[in-house]
Structure formats: structure tokens, C-alpha cells
């Protein structure tokens, strides 16, 4: 009798256990654009990234190497190029930093996301790093050089950033290529063929249009914001130049793609961008707005941690976790929160990655 009762209790626990623990698990987080440990924290080797990811259940983080970092500086109103790289310098810099990133990942046993199965493993519980580059400058104008970066683990490539590039035009200076160059167009094809996610952030509207015409897989715009007709290099401030137009956001979405919202904060928030420093709640409000504009299947976090300057609204993953809580309070449906928090980035990665 007693034994049967114990058995019954055990069976009840078995039945309830997995369900209960599943319900208690926090929704995973993905970030399509992060420079965690690269600039303001300085010490990439002991930045606390791995602990922060695990503590806050970050499943996927595009860790963005800034390919043109030594050649740019923050000017008074925007980031600008300060000198021209010598031949070979861009490639050398890229692999030096990539090796530092790989050493960190290995030391802290983070998972390098290389395949579709890796994405699943991260959604199921691993902390995954998607090796990513902000700028294709390391190619030194040769699409053929992509293979070496792929072999090292690169899976997410933003085409342009802040220095003049043979790839194409970007938002913060006057265009010179008429969108993407021939090399830029071949680069989009090569990324699709290889299984590398194409990131259109920083590209001009014309370059985005051309990339979307060529692309055979979904693309992302990893970070910034969406407003009206989009930005122009003639705008007064960098954050205005970096706006993506509503029409282009919808076009990227129509191709199955995803737009990441950055954690930029304004010292004096405006009606246009009402997110101030340290204001995760206002950031969440912008997520809700973007969801209503382009749909929950096409919005993600693209924090740009350590890339958005001193007025950041989010700077670590506990802050991103608090955004999820704010979204719940704002009554965004749970299925929408799951898509924004991790599902959309996971989906595009799986659509692009081989195996
Ligand atoms: Zn950027």
C-alpha cells in the first residue's frame, strides 16, 4: 500500500516536473549586434560576457568585430574615417581580433554557432556566439577572401560600416557607387552560396534595394531604428543618418528578414527617438511600436552594446532581460515576445546556415 502511494507520487512528479520546469524557464534572448567586451569594457579576455550571457539566458549573440575600428573616430556629431588603411592592414587587423574572440569563446566554453543544428542547441540551452563582422573591409576588395573567414567561423557579415569601401555606399557619407559595386553584388551572392547571413545595416537605401534583388535568402538590418523616409548623410547627427526608412524595413521583412532595434539613448529624448539613457522601458516601447509597424516576425534586439556611446539605454544582458519583462507588462502577446526575443534571429540563421 505504502509502496503504491510512493510510486503514485513519483509518477505524478514525473508528469508534472517537465511541464512545470518548462513554464518556469525564462524566454531565451538573442542579440543581432553586440560589441560586448570590445570597447568600453576594454579587457575582452575578462569582460564578464560569458557569465552575463549564462545568467540571463542569452541563447544567441552576434559578436560583431568592427572591421574598420582603427581607421575611424567619433567626431562631434558622427563617426568618421580618419585615414586610409595600407594594403594588407585590414585583413591583418581582422584576423588578430578574430583570434582574440575565438580564444575568449574557447576559454569560457561558449558555443560557436556554425550550423543550423547549433542554433537549435542554443535555443535549447547553450550560450551561443555567432561570429560576425561589422564591415567586409577585411576582404580587401576580393570576394574570394571570404572563404578564409568562413573557415574561421564567420557566419554573419555586415557589408559596410564607416570607411570607404569597394563594397558599396553607406549612410553616413555621400554615395559614390550608386548602391552596391559589382564586387558588393558578388559578395551578396557569395554569402548566400556559402551560408553567411547578410547584414544590410549602415547601407544606403539604394544598396539595400540592390542587395534584396540579388539575395536568395533572408537578410537582416541588425541595428538602428526605423523612421519615415530614413536618414541621409546630410542629416545633422549620426543617429539621424542611421535611420532605416519604413519602406526599406518593410521590404527587408517581405524577404523574410528581420530588423534589430538598437539601444541608443539620447541625453534629451525627442518625440522622434524617445529613448533616454538607462531607459530600458522606453526601449521596450520602441520595440512595441516597431512590431505594430512591420509585424512581430520581423523585429529583434540589436542592442549595439558598447557601440551606442555613453547614453546607452541597455549595456548588459540583465538590462535586455528587463526589456522582456517590460514587454510582458506592456501586454505584448507571449508568442510575439518569443519571436522578438530570440525566435526571429534563430529563424533567419537557420534559413541561411548550411547543415
Ligand atoms: Zn553600427
Amino acid at each position: 500500500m505504502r509502496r503504491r502511494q510512493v510510486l503514485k507520487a513519483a509518477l505524478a512528479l514525473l508528469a508534472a516536473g517537465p511541464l512545470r520546469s518548462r513554464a518556469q524557464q525564462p524566454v531565451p534572448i538573442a542579440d543581432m549586434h553586440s560589441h560586448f567586451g570590445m570597447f568600453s569594457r576594454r579587457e575582452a579576455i575578462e569582460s564578464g560576457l560569458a557569465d552575463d550571457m549564462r545568467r540571463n539566458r542569452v541563447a544567441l549573440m552576434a559578436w560583431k568585430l568592427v572591421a574598420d575600428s582603427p581607421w575611424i573616430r567619433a567626431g562631434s556629431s558622427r563617426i568618421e574615417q580618419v585615414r586610409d588603411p595600407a594594403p594588407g592592414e585590414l585583413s591583418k587587423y581582422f584576423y588578430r581580433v578574430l583570434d582574440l574572440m575565438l580564444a575568449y569563446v574557447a576559454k569560457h566554453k561558449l558555443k560557436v554557432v556554425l550550423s543550423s543544428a547549433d542554433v537549435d542547441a542554443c535555443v535549447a540551452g547553450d550560450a551561443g556566439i555567432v561570429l560576425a563582422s561589422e564591415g567586409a573591409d577585411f576582404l580587401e576588395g576580393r570576394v574570394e577572401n571570404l572563404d578564409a573567414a568562413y573557415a574561421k567561423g564567420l557566419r554573419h557579415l555586415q557589408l559596410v560600416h564607416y570607411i570607404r569601401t569597394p563594397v558599396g555606399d553607406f549612410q553616413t557619407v555621400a554615395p559614390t557607387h550608386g548602391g552596391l559595386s559589382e564586387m558588393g553584388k558578388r559578395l551578396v551572392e557569395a554569402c548566400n552560396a556559402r551560408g553567411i547571413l547578410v547584414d544590410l545595416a549602415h547601407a544606403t537605401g539604394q544598396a539595400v534595394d540592390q542587395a534584396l534583388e540579388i539575395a536568395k535568402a533572408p537578410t537582416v538590418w541588425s541595428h538602428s531604428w526605423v523612421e519615415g523616409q530614413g536618414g541621409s548623410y546630410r542629416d545633422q547627427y549620426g543617429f539621424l543618418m542611421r535611420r532605416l526608412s519604413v519602406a526599406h524595413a518593410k521590404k527587408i521583412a517581405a524577404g523574410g528578414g528581420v530588423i534589430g532595434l538598437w539601444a541608443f539613448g539620447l541625453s534629451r529624448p525627442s518625440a522622434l527617438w524617445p529613448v533616454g539613457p538607462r531607459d530600458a522601458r522606453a526601449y521596450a516601447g520602441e520595440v512595441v511600436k516597431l512590431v505594430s509597424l512591420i509585424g512581430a516576425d520581423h523585429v529583434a534586439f540589436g542592442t549595439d552594446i558598447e557601440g551606442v556611446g555613453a547614453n546607452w539605454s541597455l549595456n548588459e544582458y540583465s538590462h535586455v532581460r528587463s526589456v522582456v519583462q517590460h514587454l510582458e507588462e506592456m501586454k505584448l502577446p507571449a508568442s510575439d515576445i518569443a519571436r522578438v526575443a530570440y525566435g526571429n534571429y534563430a529563424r533567419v540563421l537557420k534559413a541561411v546556415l548550411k547543415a
Side-chain angles (χ1 to χ4, degrees):
M1 188 66 173
R2 207 170 153 259
R3 240 159 98 190
R4 270 183 74 178
Q5 272 173 346
V6 170
L7 189 66
K8 253 175 128 177
L11 283 171
L13 259 179
L14 270 177
L19 279 175
R20 197 173 45 192
S21 62
R22 206 172 295 151
Q24 283 168 346
Q25 271 180 19
V27 61
I29 285 170
D31 186 351
M32 299 205 301
H33 194 87
S34 179
H35 306 295
F36 198 113
M38 290 176 166
F39 299 112
S40 57
R41 287 176 181 84
R42 297 208 176 274
E43 292 304 319
I45 294 305
E46 287 315 327
S47 65
L49 170 62
D51 286 345
D52 195 21
M53 286 181 73
R54 291 193 169 103
R55 213 172 19 245
N56 294 291
R57 183 62 185 98
V58 178
L60 297 163
M61 187 191 87
W63 205 14
K64 285 279 185 76
L65 192 168
V66 180
D68 58 357
S69 177
W71 296 274
I72 60 177
R73 67 151 179 232
S76 54
S77 61
R78 60 173 174 156
I79 296 171
E80 57 202 8
Q81 180 167 2
V82 284
R83 61 189 177 89
D84 289 322
E89 272 190 335
L90 290 162
S91 168
K92 215 167 135 188
Y93 175 76
F94 176 83
Y95 286 105
R96 191 164 64 76
V97 179
L98 188 58
D99 281 343
L100 286 173
M101 293 161 72
L102 285 165
Y104 181 89
V105 165
K107 182 178 177 193
H108 292 274
K109 300 186 168 60
L110 295 167
K111 189 176 191 73
V112 181
V113 176
L114 300 175
S115 67
S116 191
D118 292 338
V119 176
D120 289 335
C122 292
V123 168
D126 282 346
I129 295 286
V130 181
L131 293 170
S133 183
E134 175 151 40
D137 308 279
F138 61 92
L139 298 175
E140 307 236 347
R142 290 173 50 88
V143 174
E144 296 69 27
N145 290 341
L146 191 62
D147 288 354
Y150 182 88
K152 279 266 190 181
L154 185 81
R155 292 295 183 273
H156 177 154
L157 178 60
Q158 184 183 308
L159 302 180
V160 292
H161 194 218
Y162 281 116
I163 66 168
R164 296 272 179 203
T165 161
V167 174
D169 294 327
F170 51 99
Q171 292 176 299
T172 45
V173 298
T176 58
H177 292 283
L180 292 177
S181 67
E182 281 313 306
M183 182 255 171
K185 290 174 185 170
R186 284 199 294 120
L187 180 56
V188 172
E189 290 170 351
C191 286
N192 284 166
R194 256 297 180 202
I196 295 176
L197 178 61
V198 173
D199 187 337
L200 300 171
H202 286 260
T204 60
Q206 200 176 11
V208 169
D209 287 334
Q210 292 165 353
L212 290 174
E213 248 168 63
I214 298 163
K216 292 189 173 65
T219 61
V220 298
W221 177 280
S222 61
H223 65 294
S224 90
W225 54 304
V226 178
E227 196 274 329
Q229 304 298 307
S232 153
Y233 70 94
R234 294 192 184 89
D235 288 329
Q236 197 182 355
Y237 297 108
F239 84 97
L240 294 172
M241 299 176 193
R242 290 280 290 105
R243 281 171 296 173
L244 177 66
S245 77
V246 173
H248 283 108
K250 287 185 172 170
K251 208 166 166 182
I252 291 169
V258 180
I259 313 298
L261 196 69
W262 68 0
F264 180 78
L266 268 180
S267 54
R268 265 174 290 176
S270 65
L272 216 51
W273 183 251
V275 183
R278 321 298 185 256
D279 194 348
R281 190 179 166 79
Y283 175 93
E286 292 307 296
V287 169
V288 172
K289 271 191 221 166
L290 192 53
V291 165
S292 66
L293 191 65
I294 61 173
D297 284 326
H298 306 288
V299 179
F301 303 140
T303 64
D304 202 0
I305 281 174
E306 293 196 26
V308 284
N311 289 331
W312 49 261
S313 56
L314 316 168
N315 191 45
E316 56 184 62
Y317 288 101
S318 62
H319 302 161
V320 181
R321 177 57 62 196
S322 78
V323 170
V324 173
Q325 284 156 7
H326 288 305
L327 293 174
E328 286 163 358
E329 287 158 18
M330 291 171 181
K331 306 289 179 219
L332 197 67
S335 62
D336 286 3
I337 292 175
R339 281 180 274 184
V340 169
Y342 74 96
N344 294 335
Y345 187 43
R347 183 191 76 233
V348 290
L349 281 173
K350 290 186 68 169
V352 166
L353 297 180
K354 310 287 178 188

